[in-house]
Amino acid sequence: MSFITLRGRIPALLIAGFLVGAPGRSAAGQEPGSLVVTALDDATQRPLPGVQVLVAPGNATIITDTLGVARLPVIAEGLYTVVVRRVGYMPVEQVNV
């Protein structure tokens, strides 16, 4: 599990994300997995709903639920860049997820 915190004049997001392997193979023969991202307010550690989570390559966009969790149920094995954004917060980018 990874954690990133960016601090600035506007509130920051704290994200925790991880890839979880799943049985079976994708069409390309790679092991599929899933991505789960949790967005928290850096100061209060409270979950943040409505956070936009962008995953590249592939340009998938998912939004966190009321518990601050966003799930991408099927994702090919590999390295990704995850960017989270919400109005009023500094965006957070994590590479090589």
Side-chain angles (χ1 to χ4, degrees):
M1 188 176 299
S2 319
F3 296 92
I4 287 186
T5 304
L6 294 180
R7 299 185 192 282
R9 290 196 316 235
I10 52 179
L13 292 167
L14 172 68
I15 63 169
F18 55 95
L19 287 169
V20 179
R25 296 211 175 261
S26 68
Q30 295 177 320
E31 290 288 334
S34 62
L35 176 68
V36 179
V37 174
T38 302
L40 305 171
D41 181 284
D42 184 45
T44 67
Q45 299 298 298
R46 290 188 177 172
L48 288 171
V51 174
Q52 182 183 48
V53 181
L54 303 155
V55 182
N59 298 321
T61 301
I62 46 182
I63 305 295
T64 59
D65 61 18
T66 57
L67 299 175
V69 177
R71 290 178 177 83
L72 190 57
V74 178
I75 189 168
E77 182 179 343
L79 295 176
Y80 293 88
T81 297
V82 177
V83 179
V84 295
R85 294 185 180 130
R86 184 172 183 219
V87 173
Y89 288 82
M90 291 180 62
V92 175
E93 179 177 316
Q94 183 171 350
V95 296
N96 297 325
V97 174

